């Protein structure tokens, strides 16, 4: 079975201000962190050896994953400084990856792809890279891929009326694709080194899947994913909710305290203390210490409140 590289180094800028506190893969999601869910899915598919690349707030990832033993895996880390991107990261990690081809999995998406079936398709198609895709669920929100038959032939920008496919962040790639990238040099894959390969017959293949796809990109995406995955149970273990508080469609992180009679709807509450009687609707609530001078956010005592 393949070895996997899980991309967990990103800055998570689209998930700001949440990613001021933890790396995106370390956000809590229905009783586990996002990265633990990704690794548990890999383990269920028979993948037991993974490398995670690290840059932004790395201790928030290593602190929950460790060596992976509690997840039934061996986990090692590829450290990046500066951050190297979706092609530079795999290039830097190649010495740690025991296998060719290997899996590359985004650390901020969830999609229950059958890796065995995808591996069989990759072996049969002879491509350098096979990318798992679904019909683009939001062409106005996501860039897409142009697919002809089982081949990826180009990139379609978001907002286009042309039919496109969405890459779900799971791919099987040959090490040779990244070998030409100088080690330590930032480089991108889909919008970088893959672009010329898309014009070569058979170099990049598409593997169509029908599995549910969750993207933890923006705060709204994060809330949507949590509500779907956790079936509404988004008050994390270790959070405290006071008497008479009404908390609906809201993520409440471990360590957070919701005061009596507080009313929260469609919020993301990080590890803060919400005062009694507090009301918020569609807000991301972080410690006031995470605020910046340039933020268009409201300060209330020890809380910083961003619109969602």
């Amino acid at each position: 079975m393949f070895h996997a590289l899980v991309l967990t180094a990103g800055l998570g800028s689209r998930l700001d201000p949440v990613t001021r506190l933890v790396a995106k893969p370390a956000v809590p999601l229905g009783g586990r962190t996002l990265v633990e869910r990704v690794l548990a899915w890999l383990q269920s598919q028979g993948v037991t050896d993974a490398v995670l690349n690290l840059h932004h707030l790395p201790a928030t990832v290593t602190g929950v994953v460790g060596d992976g033993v509690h997840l039934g895996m061996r986990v090692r880390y590829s450290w990046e400084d500066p951050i190297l991107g979706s092609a530079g990261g795999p290039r830097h990690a190649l010495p740690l990856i025991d296998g060719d081809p290997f899996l590359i999995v985004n650390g901020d998406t969830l999609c229950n792809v059958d890796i065995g079936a995808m591996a069989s398709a990759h072996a049969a198609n002879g491509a350098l890279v096979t990318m798992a895709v679904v019909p683009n669920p939001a062409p106005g929100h996501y860039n897409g891929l142009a697919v002809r038959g089982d081949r990826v032939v180009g990139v379609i920008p978001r907002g286009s009326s042309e039919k496109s496919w969405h890459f779900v962040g799971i791919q099987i790639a040959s090490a040779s694709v990244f070998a030409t990238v100088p080690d330590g040099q930032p480089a991108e894959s889909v919008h970088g080194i893959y672009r010329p390969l898309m014009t070569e017959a058979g170099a990049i293949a598409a593997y169509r899947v029908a599995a549910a796809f969750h993207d933890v990109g923006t705060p709204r995406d994060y809330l949507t994913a949590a509500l779907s995955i956790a079936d509404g149970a988004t008050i994390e273990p270790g959070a405290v909710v006071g008497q008479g508080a009404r908390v609906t469609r809201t993520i409440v992180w471990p360590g957070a305290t919701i005061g009596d009679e507080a009313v929260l709807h469609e919020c993301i509450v990080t590890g803060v203390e919400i005062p009694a009687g507090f009301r918020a609707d569609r807000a991301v609530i972080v410690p006031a210490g995470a605020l910046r001078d340039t933020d268009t956010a409201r300060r209330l005592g020890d809380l910083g409140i961003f619109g969602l």
Side-chain angles (χ1 to χ4, degrees), residues 166-220:
H166 183 68
F167 172 48
V168 299
I170 300 166
Q171 56 186 310
I172 298 172
S174 298
S176 62
V177 173
F178 305 100
T180 58
V181 177
D183 189 19
Q185 177 176 306
E188 297 304 317
S189 57
V190 177
H191 297 284
I193 65 171
Y194 287 8
R195 293 294 283 268
L197 293 176
M198 292 176 187
T199 65
E200 296 182 15
I204 308 286
Y207 179 70
R208 294 177 173 88
V209 299
F213 165 70
H214 299 287
D215 170 31
V216 182
T218 66
R220 174 59 64 180

Side-chain angles (χ1 to χ4, degrees), residues 198-251:
M198 292 176 187
T199 65
E200 296 182 15
I204 308 286
Y207 179 70
R208 294 177 173 88
V209 299
F213 165 70
H214 299 287
D215 170 31
V216 182
T218 66
R220 174 59 64 180
D221 294 334
Y222 174 33
L223 180 60
T224 299
L227 293 171
S228 176
I229 292 167
D231 195 25
T234 54
I235 298 175
E236 297 288 328
V240 177
V241 179
Q243 292 185 347
R246 287 185 288 151
V247 181
T248 55
R249 296 179 57 82
T250 289
I251 302 171

Side-chain angles (χ1 to χ4, degrees), residues 1-4 39 42-49 73 103 115:
M1 178 50 75
F2 292 105
H3 290 189
L39 291 173
L42 284 171
Q43 197 274 344
S44 75
Q45 296 286 318
V47 179
T48 57
D49 195 299
M73 304 187 74
L103 269 172
I115 296 300

Side-chain angles (χ1 to χ4, degrees), residues 48-74:
T48 57
D49 195 299
V51 172
L52 277 59
N53 66 338
L54 295 174
H55 174 79
H56 178 62
L57 298 177
T60 62
V61 175
T62 60
V64 296
V65 175
D67 60 8
V69 170
H70 67 294
L71 296 167
M73 304 187 74
R74 177 176 77 147

Side-chain angles (χ1 to χ4, degrees), residues 84-101:
L84 296 175
S86 56
R91 167 62 185 92
H92 187 62
L94 284 180
L96 293 174
I97 298 169
D98 302 323
D100 186 15

Side-chain angles (χ1 to χ4, degrees), residues 5 21 48 69 82 92 102 104 135 162 175 182 190 195 201 208 221 223 253 260 270 272-273 278 287 297 302 306 308:
L5 171 65
L21 309 176
T48 57
V69 170
H92 187 62
F102 61 100
I104 304 175
E162 186 178 351
V190 177
R195 293 294 283 268
R208 294 177 173 88
D221 294 334
L223 180 60
W253 280 20
D260 296 346
T270 62
V272 296
E273 183 174 350
F278 178 85
D302 292 331
F306 292 76
L308 178 60

